[in-house]
Amino acid sequence: MINIGVIGYGYWGPNLVRNFSEIPGIEVTTVSDFKPELLAKVGGRYPKIKLTRDCRDIFNDPEIDAVAIATPVSTHFELALAALQAGKHVLVEKPMTVSSEQAMRLIDEAEKRNLVLMVDHTFVYTGAVRKMRDLVVTNALGDIYYYDSVRVNLGLFQHDVNVIWDLAVHDLSIMNYVLPSQPYAVSATGMSHVPGEPENIAYLTLFFAGNLMAHIHVNWLAPVKVRRTLIGGSQKMIVFDDLEPSEKLKIYDKGITLNGNNESVYQMMIGYRTGDMWSPHLDMTEALRTEGLHFIDCIQTGNRPITDGEAGLQIVRILEGATQSMKQQGRLIELDTAKVAV
């Protein structure tokens, strides 16, 4: 039995507690939050769970093996570091930290203590995203030309981070998992329409080696909710619509063919290929349950998580670069793609 403590019972904490409580081999022993009204909700639904307003009670409890952190991003580093130093395995909500320096510090601490450090990039554990990765890895799409995503809605406005750190982190984690390479540079533009508040709309363009590029649009000020991703390949193309109730993933046998003399643009002919569309069967297990099972498996076996500290660091580096670019009206920012030495 693995005992886990959860810090934070606001927006995401209830989902963590619910899923961990339903996974065999796990017991949620303690929940910490500084708001008494939130702890009262825990007590009403889970009477056996210990409640505390001081997260140090979790760190100091020798019976607790792992800690899940679902608090504002500004607190992630301090809480995760304290948990690791207390000998606990850690699952931390996205984004991992507010800086790459903090992320590298957590990676080093986890490696030094032989503890699991995992980032809650939940979409990576959905059936649709895992199927997309399978299609890319098996070269079913051919050469990948582009990754294009839109994630917009009306709210929820955040006060501590801009829309890139709130919404784009989802698409970046999907991109990082699905695509075969990492971007070397990013350009971003954005704007705030609420005085004194962070940017609520942003556009990111990411550049890769070769002719692959990615574009991400995020917006808190849209009249409709859209969650759509397109991946274009030389053989097939993908449309992933997370709001679709059933056929979330559609694969199109569409594209272009080049005929004639490629050395002369006047002799080269572009043909259009229109084939079938099919929607594959997807694993509909709740992503957070799949993620929780993976977290426990990594604790028990010593395997590295799919969304480990390195994956979290890669996303934070892109977020930092995008934020820097946005402040300079879209200037191209080169990204540090070096791995952490351990």
Side-chain angles (χ1 to χ4, degrees):
M1 179 67 69
I2 292 178
N3 296 323
I4 190 167
V6 176
I7 302 176
Y9 200 75
Y11 173 73
W12 198 240
N15 296 319
L16 290 171
V17 173
R18 173 176 56 82
N19 275 275
F20 279 128
S21 297
E22 295 172 355
I23 295 176
I26 302 179
E27 183 175 350
V28 180
T29 61
T30 309
V31 171
S32 170
D33 198 290
F34 65 88
K35 294 183 177 180
E37 62 271 23
L38 294 181
L39 291 179
K41 291 182 179 180
V42 183
R45 184 168 182 180
Y46 308 97
K48 294 183 179 180
I49 293 180
K50 299 176 185 176
L51 308 176
T52 178
R53 297 180 63 185
D54 189 345
C55 60
R56 289 174 295 185
D57 292 338
I58 291 178
F59 302 145
N60 295 332
D61 188 341
E63 299 298 320
I64 292 179
D65 307 294
V67 176
I69 298 169
T71 58
V73 61
S74 60
T75 66
H76 286 181
F77 173 71
E78 180 182 352
L79 294 174
L81 182 62
L84 291 169
Q85 290 176 339
K88 318 295 186 186
H89 303 283
V90 170
L91 172 66
V92 60
E93 194 181 1
K94 60 81 186 170
M96 180 179 178
T97 54
V98 298
S99 72
S100 54
E101 289 78 9
Q102 289 182 349
M104 289 188 287
R105 176 72 176 87
L106 293 182
I107 292 170
D108 178 68
E109 191 70 29
E111 292 287 344
K112 181 173 65 177
R113 298 177 181 275
N114 196 30
L115 294 168
V116 172
L117 172 61
M118 182 168 160
V119 185
D120 185 13
H121 291 158
T122 313
F123 276 95
V124 168
Y125 298 94
T126 62
V129 172
R130 286 184 287 147
K131 174 60 72 172
M132 286 197 293
R133 176 179 168 85
D134 289 343
L135 292 167
V136 171
V137 169
T138 58
N139 204 36
L141 307 183
D143 297 329
I144 306 301
Y145 290 159
Y146 64 84
Y147 176 100
D148 192 286
S149 68
V150 178
R151 187 174 298 270
V152 303
N153 56 263
L154 190 60
L156 298 165
F157 275 70
Q158 305 293 321
H159 301 288
D160 57 338
V161 293
N162 61 37
V163 70
I164 293 178
W165 287 77
D166 178 47
L167 292 185
V169 63
H170 293 302
D171 301 287
L172 292 171
S173 65
I174 295 171
M175 181 195 76
N176 184 56
Y177 178 64
V178 171
L179 296 187
S181 59
Q182 296 294 321
Y184 68 84
V186 61
S187 171
T189 54
M191 190 68 65
S192 171
H193 298 90
V194 180
E197 293 296 317
E199 292 86 355
N200 53 262
I201 181 172
Y203 300 87
L204 287 72
T205 302
L206 298 114
F207 300 88
F208 297 75
N211 61 352
L212 169 62
M213 69 179 300
H215 187 263
I216 297 172
H217 172 208
V218 286
N219 188 350
W220 284 329
L221 202 58
V224 295
K225 185 174 184 178
V226 180
R227 300 284 187 268
R228 186 176 295 121
T229 299
L230 285 75
I231 300 178
S234 59
Q235 299 299 318
K236 292 181 175 63
M237 300 181 181
I238 292 175
V239 176
F240 167 38
D241 191 337
D242 192 43
L243 300 185
E244 280 284 346
S246 56
E247 297 180 346
K248 291 181 179 293
L249 201 65
K250 296 178 181 177
I251 296 93
Y252 291 83
D253 185 12
K254 292 186 177 183
I256 61 172
T257 56
L258 303 180
N259 305 302
N261 185 355
N262 292 342
E263 296 180 359
S264 172
V265 67
Y266 299 105
Q267 298 179 23
M268 183 173 63
M269 301 293 292
I270 298 178
Y272 296 92
R273 185 184 72 258
T274 302
D276 295 332
M277 182 281 291
W278 61 286
S279 183
H281 173 74
L282 302 175
D283 180 2
M284 298 306 292
T285 304
E286 184 178 353
L288 203 49
R289 179 179 177 85
T290 301
E291 182 181 46
L293 289 168
H294 182 57
F295 182 49
I296 300 308
D297 178 72
C298 291
I299 291 174
Q300 294 174 333
T301 64
N303 293 332
R304 294 188 71 90
I306 296 171
T307 54
D308 62 1
E310 280 284 353
L313 171 61
Q314 290 167 358
I315 302 305
V316 171
R317 281 173 169 162
I318 297 174
L319 295 171
E320 285 180 320
T323 301
Q324 182 182 352
S325 175
M326 194 162 54
K327 291 179 179 179
Q328 301 178 49
Q329 296 183 316
R331 185 173 74 86
L332 192 67
I333 302 295
E334 292 190 3
L335 299 170
D336 181 2
T337 58
K339 287 185 174 292
V340 176
V342 293

